[in-house]
Amino acid sequence: MESLDPRRTALLLIDLMTRIVEQPTAPHAGSAVVARSLALAEAVRKAGGLVVAVRVERPGVAEQPPGSELAEGVLGDLEIVKHTWGAFHNTRLEEALRKRAIDTLIITGIATNFGVEQTARFADEFGFTVILPEDAVTALDAHAHEFAFDYIFPRIATVSTTAEVVAALE
């Protein structure tokens, strides 16, 4: 992976909420995804990039389910609330990124084949360069994760590791 211009880079933390992180996931534990995402957030901030925490709220309900807060330690410079799988639909995310001249997105989170994939697909369609660190993303089952990383993500993104992204920011 080439070096990244941190001023034009944002890290999107997808659905790292207590109730989602605590679900059984594979191939990586939710806690491991949070730890790697926090390491990436530290590296992105240190280099001068933007960290965006994206969380989902169920539409049309008076109260969100218990555990709907961001997991401990997860904090965005910008917080986006979505009501669908992807982070772009009917949110101010694209506008906020364009306003800051962001053209590269590092995407982490849960679940690979839901919020992460939907966000990555739209990011690619909107012309962003997309980076997906495989070890900072997980699914509800390993097969879904592996399918996305073997067949979908290589066509729309650079697949990497957390360590490779951190090195590219230095």
Side-chain angles (χ1 to χ4, degrees):
M1 176 183 304
E2 296 178 26
S3 66
L4 296 172
D5 180 352
R7 295 164 297 144
R8 300 180 64 86
T9 301
L11 170 64
L12 305 184
L13 308 171
I14 306 295
D15 296 336
L16 295 180
M17 301 158 51
T18 304
R19 66 182 169 83
I20 294 173
V21 170
E22 291 177 349
Q23 291 185 40
T25 58
H28 309 293
S31 59
V33 168
V34 169
R36 291 181 187 117
S37 294
L38 293 178
L40 284 165
E42 181 179 342
V44 166
R45 281 192 184 102
K46 181 179 176 184
L50 177 71
V51 177
V52 181
V54 179
R55 63 182 180 81
V56 65
E57 285 188 358
R58 294 181 179 168
V61 297
E63 190 173 312
Q64 297 301 309
S68 291
E69 71 282 347
L70 293 169
E72 186 175 338
V74 176
L75 178 66
D77 306 316
L78 173 66
E79 185 174 319
I80 296 293
V81 176
K82 63 185 180 92
H83 300 283
T84 62
W85 283 0
F88 285 101
H89 181 72
N90 286 335
T91 69
R92 65 186 199 280
L93 179 58
E94 183 184 11
E95 177 185 342
L97 296 172
R98 301 276 188 219
K99 181 179 175 182
R100 292 169 172 84
I102 301 290
D103 62 11
T104 302
L105 303 179
I106 305 160
I107 304 174
T108 71
I110 304 170
T112 307
N113 58 316
F114 296 117
V116 172
E117 184 175 326
Q118 184 78 348
T119 301
R121 285 175 181 257
F122 273 80
D124 176 63
E125 287 186 12
F126 290 151
F128 292 98
T129 297
V130 179
I131 300 167
L132 290 153
E134 185 279 334
D135 58 350
V137 177
T138 197
L140 302 180
D141 68 71
H143 176 73
H145 180 85
E146 291 160 4
F147 182 86
F149 274 94
D150 288 345
Y151 295 100
I152 296 169
F153 293 154
R155 289 165 173 79
I156 64 171
T158 298
V159 173
S160 67
T161 65
T162 297
E164 289 169 333
V165 175
V166 169
L169 287 163
E170 294 175 341

